[in-house]
Amino acid sequence: MIRQDERGGVVAVVPQRLLADRLDLLEVVGDLDVGVTVAPAPGLPPDVRSLLLAVLARDVVDYVGHGYRVLGLVERDAPGRGVGWEELVAEWARWGLAPIPTVTLDPRVTAEDFRATLASWLDPDPVA
Amino acid sequence: MTPGARRVAFVAHCFLNQNAKVAEFARCPGVVLPVVSALRESGYELAQLPCPEMAYLGVGRWWQSREMYDTPGYREHCRTLAAPVLAQVRAYRAEGYEVVLVGLDGSPSSGVRLTGSRQDWGGRPEGAARGGSNRIPGRGIWIQELMRLFDEAGEPWPRATGIAMDDKDFDPVAGMAEFAGFLDSEPGAGAAPDARAGDS
């Protein structure tokens, strides 16, 4: 990864829900120096949704190929894990990319608990 | 703001993901938190626009000027990405949302009021070493193609503004104050000044 500016080098694929009614969690993501790329909402017409998912998937391929860390913030019980997971995995397979690691997002999680979970994933073995 | 009204802001991709920026232009690690906080405090939901530059040339792209992106191929790429945006805006409006658009002023693609121009760039990528592109009134290629599609579809263009984070002289305090003023203005009252002078 080219490091010539303030970018953090970590990108999260997130459900649209995070931008609708959980902006508190979006702020936690930002506070932990992670950028987000948003998966299309489930209710969109299938052709629109497929196009957006393909663009997102190829962006992820490019990020990983350039050394960025990419994770999925996914919802356990939502269709497509909230991000169109099956479609993303299929597109990644076309480009030879294995599924990215995920952190499960509980829809009822508090910002504090979410911060702890995500921070732990980002830095699983922090120096004391 | 009308009591109970729902609002959604379509924001340029990089306001939520500075990793998508061309090298040297990321101003923070990931999410531009002052932008998100301002939107949240004003009662907006968010939607993220795709980044046409990222999808076209990737994260390792060179600096480019508006003139370099002004090709039929790039415009066609932008139109492909514009169709889902139109569909999403229509879906929000059908549910009664007020829609605004927040672009990145100074960007050759996403500028709403200012774009990045450099007529003499091309060939060996060393032009940037002699200084960045010039900020001129006008819209970026992506915003132009979005507007064109909305116009062709008979869909009203959202109230729109830009935040000039791509300008090296950007003043964050003044810029965010202006942005907050835009967010809290009534629909139809706070549209960005027309920038057609720089449109082609």
Side-chain angles (χ1 to χ4, degrees), chain B residues 75-76 78-80 82-83 86 90 143-157 196:
Chain B
R75 285 187 178 277
E76 189 63 34
C78 288
R79 286 184 68 85
T80 301
L86 174 64
R90 280 179 162 161
I143 298 299
Q144 274 195 337
E145 291 302 324
L146 264 177
M147 288 187 78
R148 200 184 312 272
L149 187 67
F150 273 66
D151 189 47
E152 290 170 2
E155 187 69 24
W157 179 242
R196 289 182 190 276

PDB file of all heavy atoms in Angstrom, chain B residues 75-76 78-80 82-83 86 90 143-157 196:
ATOM      1  N   ARG B  75     -16.908   8.858 -19.273  1.00  0.00           N
ATOM      2  CA  ARG B  75     -18.288   9.349 -19.140  1.00  0.00           C
ATOM      3  C   ARG B  75     -19.278   8.182 -19.199  1.00  0.00           C
ATOM      4  O   ARG B  75     -20.255   8.145 -18.455  1.00  0.00           O
ATOM      5  CB  ARG B  75     -18.595  10.387 -20.218  1.00  0.00           C
ATOM      6  CG  ARG B  75     -17.959  11.742 -19.953  1.00  0.00           C
ATOM      7  CD  ARG B  75     -18.429  12.794 -20.942  1.00  0.00           C
ATOM      8  NE  ARG B  75     -17.854  14.100 -20.645  1.00  0.00           N
ATOM      9  CZ  ARG B  75     -18.342  14.960 -19.742  1.00  0.00           C
ATOM     10  NH1 ARG B  75     -19.427  14.652 -19.067  1.00  0.00           N
ATOM     11  NH2 ARG B  75     -17.749  16.108 -19.527  1.00  0.00           N
ATOM     12  N   GLU B  76     -19.032   7.235 -20.068  1.00  0.00           N
ATOM     13  CA  GLU B  76     -19.927   6.080 -20.165  1.00  0.00           C
ATOM     14  C   GLU B  76     -19.888   5.267 -18.860  1.00  0.00           C
ATOM     15  O   GLU B  76     -20.921   4.786 -18.371  1.00  0.00           O
ATOM     16  CB  GLU B  76     -19.524   5.200 -21.351  1.00  0.00           C
ATOM     17  CG  GLU B  76     -20.521   4.098 -21.680  1.00  0.00           C
ATOM     18  CD  GLU B  76     -21.883   4.640 -22.101  1.00  0.00           C
ATOM     19  OE1 GLU B  76     -21.941   5.708 -22.740  1.00  0.00           O
ATOM     20  OE2 GLU B  76     -22.899   3.992 -21.772  1.00  0.00           O
ATOM     21  N   CYS B  78     -19.260   6.485 -15.946  1.00  0.00           N
ATOM     22  CA  CYS B  78     -20.018   7.268 -14.963  1.00  0.00           C
ATOM     23  C   CYS B  78     -21.524   7.092 -15.161  1.00  0.00           C
ATOM     24  O   CYS B  78     -22.283   6.991 -14.193  1.00  0.00           O
ATOM     25  CB  CYS B  78     -19.642   8.750 -15.050  1.00  0.00           C
ATOM     26  SG  CYS B  78     -17.993   9.127 -14.411  1.00  0.00           S
ATOM     27  N   ARG B  79     -21.954   7.049 -16.401  1.00  0.00           N
ATOM     28  CA  ARG B  79     -23.392   6.873 -16.661  1.00  0.00           C
ATOM     29  C   ARG B  79     -23.868   5.507 -16.154  1.00  0.00           C
ATOM     30  O   ARG B  79     -24.981   5.374 -15.644  1.00  0.00           O
ATOM     31  CB  ARG B  79     -23.687   7.021 -18.153  1.00  0.00           C
ATOM     32  CG  ARG B  79     -23.619   8.446 -18.631  1.00  0.00           C
ATOM     33  CD  ARG B  79     -24.006   8.544 -20.099  1.00  0.00           C
ATOM     34  NE  ARG B  79     -25.407   8.257 -20.333  1.00  0.00           N
ATOM     35  CZ  ARG B  79     -26.392   9.151 -20.220  1.00  0.00           C
ATOM     36  NH1 ARG B  79     -26.118  10.381 -19.846  1.00  0.00           N
ATOM     37  NH2 ARG B  79     -27.630   8.820 -20.475  1.00  0.00           N
ATOM     38  N   THR B  80     -23.022   4.496 -16.306  1.00  0.00           N
ATOM     39  CA  THR B  80     -23.381   3.167 -15.790  1.00  0.00           C
ATOM     40  C   THR B  80     -23.587   3.224 -14.281  1.00  0.00           C
ATOM     41  O   THR B  80     -24.533   2.631 -13.747  1.00  0.00           O
ATOM     42  CB  THR B  80     -22.281   2.149 -16.142  1.00  0.00           C
ATOM     43  OG1 THR B  80     -22.134   2.101 -17.561  1.00  0.00           O
ATOM     44  CG2 THR B  80     -22.619   0.764 -15.616  1.00  0.00           C
ATOM     45  N   ALA B  82     -24.328   5.897 -12.631  1.00  0.00           N
ATOM     46  CA  ALA B  82     -25.358   6.882 -12.296  1.00  0.00           C
ATOM     47  C   ALA B  82     -26.751   6.247 -12.234  1.00  0.00           C
ATOM     48  O   ALA B  82     -27.602   6.684 -11.448  1.00  0.00           O
ATOM     49  CB  ALA B  82     -25.352   8.027 -13.311  1.00  0.00           C
ATOM     50  N   ALA B  83     -26.973   5.237 -13.038  1.00  0.00           N
ATOM     51  CA  ALA B  83     -28.319   4.640 -13.084  1.00  0.00           C
ATOM     52  C   ALA B  83     -28.764   4.116 -11.712  1.00  0.00           C
ATOM     53  O   ALA B  83     -29.908   4.370 -11.295  1.00  0.00           O
ATOM     54  CB  ALA B  83     -28.359   3.534 -14.140  1.00  0.00           C
ATOM     55  N   LEU B  86     -29.799   7.082  -9.511  1.00  0.00           N
ATOM     56  CA  LEU B  86     -31.137   7.578  -9.877  1.00  0.00           C
ATOM     57  C   LEU B  86     -32.218   6.683  -9.263  1.00  0.00           C
ATOM     58  O   LEU B  86     -33.200   7.174  -8.685  1.00  0.00           O
ATOM     59  CB  LEU B  86     -31.270   7.621 -11.398  1.00  0.00           C
ATOM     60  CG  LEU B  86     -32.657   7.983 -11.952  1.00  0.00           C
ATOM     61  CD1 LEU B  86     -33.056   9.405 -11.568  1.00  0.00           C
ATOM     62  CD2 LEU B  86     -32.684   7.817 -13.476  1.00  0.00           C
ATOM     63  N   ARG B  90     -34.965   7.894  -6.435  1.00  0.00           N
ATOM     64  CA  ARG B  90     -36.403   7.746  -6.668  1.00  0.00           C
ATOM     65  C   ARG B  90     -37.059   6.938  -5.547  1.00  0.00           C
ATOM     66  O   ARG B  90     -38.168   7.256  -5.100  1.00  0.00           O
ATOM     67  CB  ARG B  90     -36.641   7.052  -8.007  1.00  0.00           C
ATOM     68  CG  ARG B  90     -36.516   8.004  -9.183  1.00  0.00           C
ATOM     69  CD  ARG B  90     -36.742   7.290 -10.489  1.00  0.00           C
ATOM     70  NE  ARG B  90     -37.052   8.234 -11.559  1.00  0.00           N
ATOM     71  CZ  ARG B  90     -36.937   7.961 -12.843  1.00  0.00           C
ATOM     72  NH1 ARG B  90     -36.521   6.766 -13.236  1.00  0.00           N
ATOM     73  NH2 ARG B  90     -37.240   8.864 -13.738  1.00  0.00           N
ATOM     74  N   ILE B 143     -20.313  14.144 -11.568  1.00  0.00           N
ATOM     75  CA  ILE B 143     -21.484  14.940 -11.213  1.00  0.00           C
ATOM     76  C   ILE B 143     -22.209  15.386 -12.485  1.00  0.00           C
ATOM     77  O   ILE B 143     -23.451  15.372 -12.543  1.00  0.00           O
ATOM     78  CB  ILE B 143     -21.074  16.156 -10.354  1.00  0.00           C
ATOM     79  CG1 ILE B 143     -20.444  15.672  -9.025  1.00  0.00           C
ATOM     80  CG2 ILE B 143     -22.277  17.062 -10.093  1.00  0.00           C
ATOM     81  CD1 ILE B 143     -21.354  14.840  -8.146  1.00  0.00           C
ATOM     82  N   GLN B 144     -21.461  15.741 -13.501  1.00  0.00           N
ATOM     83  CA  GLN B 144     -22.097  16.128 -14.769  1.00  0.00           C
ATOM     84  C   GLN B 144     -22.942  14.987 -15.339  1.00  0.00           C
ATOM     85  O   GLN B 144     -24.061  15.195 -15.799  1.00  0.00           O
ATOM     86  CB  GLN B 144     -21.035  16.501 -15.800  1.00  0.00           C
ATOM     87  CG  GLN B 144     -20.593  17.931 -15.740  1.00  0.00           C
ATOM     88  CD  GLN B 144     -19.830  18.316 -16.995  1.00  0.00           C
ATOM     89  OE1 GLN B 144     -19.274  17.463 -17.688  1.00  0.00           O
ATOM     90  NE2 GLN B 144     -19.788  19.593 -17.278  1.00  0.00           N
ATOM     91  N   GLU B 145     -22.382  13.792 -15.327  1.00  0.00           N
ATOM     92  CA  GLU B 145     -23.118  12.663 -15.903  1.00  0.00           C
ATOM     93  C   GLU B 145     -24.318  12.285 -15.051  1.00  0.00           C
ATOM     94  O   GLU B 145     -25.360  11.882 -15.571  1.00  0.00           O
ATOM     95  CB  GLU B 145     -22.186  11.473 -16.125  1.00  0.00           C
ATOM     96  CG  GLU B 145     -21.156  11.700 -17.224  1.00  0.00           C
ATOM     97  CD  GLU B 145     -21.794  12.033 -18.575  1.00  0.00           C
ATOM     98  OE1 GLU B 145     -22.862  11.497 -18.907  1.00  0.00           O
ATOM     99  OE2 GLU B 145     -21.226  12.872 -19.294  1.00  0.00           O
ATOM    100  N   LEU B 146     -24.175  12.406 -13.737  1.00  0.00           N
ATOM    101  CA  LEU B 146     -25.335  12.192 -12.866  1.00  0.00           C
ATOM    102  C   LEU B 146     -26.447  13.180 -13.212  1.00  0.00           C
ATOM    103  O   LEU B 146     -27.614  12.795 -13.374  1.00  0.00           O
ATOM    104  CB  LEU B 146     -24.928  12.403 -11.401  1.00  0.00           C
ATOM    105  CG  LEU B 146     -24.553  11.201 -10.551  1.00  0.00           C
ATOM    106  CD1 LEU B 146     -24.115  11.668  -9.167  1.00  0.00           C
ATOM    107  CD2 LEU B 146     -25.714  10.226 -10.420  1.00  0.00           C
ATOM    108  N   MET B 147     -26.065  14.447 -13.322  1.00  0.00           N
ATOM    109  CA  MET B 147     -27.065  15.473 -13.636  1.00  0.00           C
ATOM    110  C   MET B 147     -27.725  15.208 -14.976  1.00  0.00           C
ATOM    111  O   MET B 147     -28.938  15.368 -15.131  1.00  0.00           O
ATOM    112  CB  MET B 147     -26.405  16.858 -13.665  1.00  0.00           C
ATOM    113  CG  MET B 147     -26.004  17.383 -12.315  1.00  0.00           C
ATOM    114  SD  MET B 147     -25.418  19.083 -12.416  1.00  0.00           S
ATOM    115  CE  MET B 147     -26.977  19.955 -12.547  1.00  0.00           C
ATOM    116  N   ARG B 148     -26.913  14.797 -15.934  1.00  0.00           N
ATOM    117  CA  ARG B 148     -27.449  14.546 -17.277  1.00  0.00           C
ATOM    118  C   ARG B 148     -28.494  13.431 -17.223  1.00  0.00           C
ATOM    119  O   ARG B 148     -29.557  13.523 -17.822  1.00  0.00           O
ATOM    120  CB  ARG B 148     -26.306  14.169 -18.231  1.00  0.00           C
ATOM    121  CG  ARG B 148     -26.656  14.362 -19.700  1.00  0.00           C
ATOM    122  CD  ARG B 148     -25.527  13.890 -20.619  1.00  0.00           C
ATOM    123  NE  ARG B 148     -24.213  14.360 -20.259  1.00  0.00           N
ATOM    124  CZ  ARG B 148     -23.689  15.515 -20.670  1.00  0.00           C
ATOM    125  NH1 ARG B 148     -24.385  16.309 -21.445  1.00  0.00           N
ATOM    126  NH2 ARG B 148     -22.461  15.846 -20.313  1.00  0.00           N
ATOM    127  N   LEU B 149     -28.196  12.379 -16.486  1.00  0.00           N
ATOM    128  CA  LEU B 149     -29.134  11.260 -16.391  1.00  0.00           C
ATOM    129  C   LEU B 149     -30.424  11.679 -15.690  1.00  0.00           C
ATOM    130  O   LEU B 149     -31.526  11.308 -16.118  1.00  0.00           O
ATOM    131  CB  LEU B 149     -28.483  10.082 -15.665  1.00  0.00           C
ATOM    132  CG  LEU B 149     -29.313   8.812 -15.662  1.00  0.00           C
ATOM    133  CD1 LEU B 149     -29.448   8.243 -17.079  1.00  0.00           C
ATOM    134  CD2 LEU B 149     -28.710   7.749 -14.755  1.00  0.00           C
ATOM    135  N   PHE B 150     -30.283  12.443 -14.595  1.00  0.00           N
ATOM    136  CA  PHE B 150     -31.485  12.930 -13.904  1.00  0.00           C
ATOM    137  C   PHE B 150     -32.325  13.774 -14.865  1.00  0.00           C
ATOM    138  O   PHE B 150     -33.556  13.641 -14.908  1.00  0.00           O
ATOM    139  CB  PHE B 150     -31.094  13.759 -12.677  1.00  0.00           C
ATOM    140  CG  PHE B 150     -30.882  12.950 -11.429  1.00  0.00           C
ATOM    141  CD1 PHE B 150     -29.842  12.038 -11.330  1.00  0.00           C
ATOM    142  CD2 PHE B 150     -31.732  13.089 -10.343  1.00  0.00           C
ATOM    143  CE1 PHE B 150     -29.643  11.282 -10.186  1.00  0.00           C
ATOM    144  CE2 PHE B 150     -31.547  12.334  -9.188  1.00  0.00           C
ATOM    145  CZ  PHE B 150     -30.499  11.438  -9.114  1.00  0.00           C
ATOM    146  N   ASP B 151     -31.666  14.619 -15.610  1.00  0.00           N
ATOM    147  CA  ASP B 151     -32.379  15.493 -16.551  1.00  0.00           C
ATOM    148  C   ASP B 151     -33.111  14.664 -17.599  1.00  0.00           C
ATOM    149  O   ASP B 151     -34.293  14.897 -17.881  1.00  0.00           O
ATOM    150  CB  ASP B 151     -31.359  16.436 -17.203  1.00  0.00           C
ATOM    151  CG  ASP B 151     -32.040  17.510 -18.030  1.00  0.00           C
ATOM    152  OD1 ASP B 151     -33.001  18.112 -17.525  1.00  0.00           O
ATOM    153  OD2 ASP B 151     -31.619  17.737 -19.184  1.00  0.00           O
ATOM    154  N   GLU B 152     -32.425  13.698 -18.175  1.00  0.00           N
ATOM    155  CA  GLU B 152     -33.039  12.853 -19.208  1.00  0.00           C
ATOM    156  C   GLU B 152     -34.212  12.047 -18.651  1.00  0.00           C
ATOM    157  O   GLU B 152     -35.172  11.753 -19.356  1.00  0.00           O
ATOM    158  CB  GLU B 152     -31.991  11.901 -19.793  1.00  0.00           C
ATOM    159  CG  GLU B 152     -30.945  12.596 -20.648  1.00  0.00           C
ATOM    160  CD  GLU B 152     -29.787  11.688 -21.018  1.00  0.00           C
ATOM    161  OE1 GLU B 152     -29.804  10.494 -20.643  1.00  0.00           O
ATOM    162  OE2 GLU B 152     -28.845  12.185 -21.660  1.00  0.00           O
ATOM    163  N   ALA B 153     -34.104  11.680 -17.386  1.00  0.00           N
ATOM    164  CA  ALA B 153     -35.159  10.866 -16.773  1.00  0.00           C
ATOM    165  C   ALA B 153     -36.298  11.721 -16.212  1.00  0.00           C
ATOM    166  O   ALA B 153     -37.273  11.177 -15.689  1.00  0.00           O
ATOM    167  CB  ALA B 153     -34.559  10.009 -15.652  1.00  0.00           C
ATOM    168  N   GLY B 154     -36.155  13.037 -16.282  1.00  0.00           N
ATOM    169  CA  GLY B 154     -37.183  13.917 -15.749  1.00  0.00           C
ATOM    170  C   GLY B 154     -37.238  13.920 -14.234  1.00  0.00           C
ATOM    171  O   GLY B 154     -38.255  14.295 -13.645  1.00  0.00           O
ATOM    172  N   GLU B 155     -36.153  13.530 -13.608  1.00  0.00           N
ATOM    173  CA  GLU B 155     -36.098  13.490 -12.146  1.00  0.00           C
ATOM    174  C   GLU B 155     -35.435  14.772 -11.652  1.00  0.00           C
ATOM    175  O   GLU B 155     -34.327  15.111 -12.100  1.00  0.00           O
ATOM    176  CB  GLU B 155     -35.286  12.269 -11.684  1.00  0.00           C
ATOM    177  CG  GLU B 155     -35.291  12.027 -10.181  1.00  0.00           C
ATOM    178  CD  GLU B 155     -36.657  11.570  -9.664  1.00  0.00           C
ATOM    179  OE1 GLU B 155     -37.437  11.011 -10.463  1.00  0.00           O
ATOM    180  OE2 GLU B 155     -36.932  11.793  -8.479  1.00  0.00           O
ATOM    181  N   PRO B 156     -36.071  15.498 -10.747  1.00  0.00           N
ATOM    182  CA  PRO B 156     -35.450  16.733 -10.266  1.00  0.00           C
ATOM    183  C   PRO B 156     -34.088  16.473  -9.626  1.00  0.00           C
ATOM    184  O   PRO B 156     -33.931  15.498  -8.883  1.00  0.00           O
ATOM    185  CB  PRO B 156     -36.442  17.256  -9.226  1.00  0.00           C
ATOM    186  CG  PRO B 156     -37.741  16.611  -9.580  1.00  0.00           C
ATOM    187  CD  PRO B 156     -37.398  15.272 -10.156  1.00  0.00           C
ATOM    188  N   TRP B 157     -33.140  17.321  -9.930  1.00  0.00           N
ATOM    189  CA  TRP B 157     -31.806  17.221  -9.347  1.00  0.00           C
ATOM    190  C   TRP B 157     -31.877  17.616  -7.884  1.00  0.00           C
ATOM    191  O   TRP B 157     -32.526  18.605  -7.541  1.00  0.00           O
ATOM    192  CB  TRP B 157     -30.846  18.142 -10.110  1.00  0.00           C
ATOM    193  CG  TRP B 157     -29.432  18.163  -9.617  1.00  0.00           C
ATOM    194  CD1 TRP B 157     -28.754  19.228  -9.110  1.00  0.00           C
ATOM    195  CD2 TRP B 157     -28.499  17.063  -9.613  1.00  0.00           C
ATOM    196  NE1 TRP B 157     -27.473  18.857  -8.790  1.00  0.00           N
ATOM    197  CE2 TRP B 157     -27.297  17.541  -9.082  1.00  0.00           C
ATOM    198  CE3 TRP B 157     -28.588  15.725 -10.007  1.00  0.00           C
ATOM    199  CZ2 TRP B 157     -26.169  16.726  -8.920  1.00  0.00           C
ATOM    200  CZ3 TRP B 157     -27.470  14.915  -9.849  1.00  0.00           C
ATOM    201  CH2 TRP B 157     -26.285  15.421  -9.315  1.00  0.00           C
ATOM    202  N   ARG B 196     -22.185  26.293 -13.848  1.00  0.00           N
ATOM    203  CA  ARG B 196     -22.168  25.869 -15.243  1.00  0.00           C
ATOM    204  C   ARG B 196     -21.071  26.534 -16.050  1.00  0.00           C
ATOM    205  O   ARG B 196     -20.750  26.067 -17.140  1.00  0.00           O
ATOM    206  CB  ARG B 196     -23.523  26.127 -15.899  1.00  0.00           C
ATOM    207  CG  ARG B 196     -24.602  25.183 -15.405  1.00  0.00           C
ATOM    208  CD  ARG B 196     -25.933  25.427 -16.093  1.00  0.00           C
ATOM    209  NE  ARG B 196     -26.998  24.696 -15.446  1.00  0.00           N
ATOM    210  CZ  ARG B 196     -27.273  23.417 -15.708  1.00  0.00           C
ATOM    211  NH1 ARG B 196     -26.569  22.748 -16.568  1.00  0.00           N
ATOM    212  NH2 ARG B 196     -28.263  22.811 -15.069  1.00  0.00           N
TER     213      ARG B 196
END
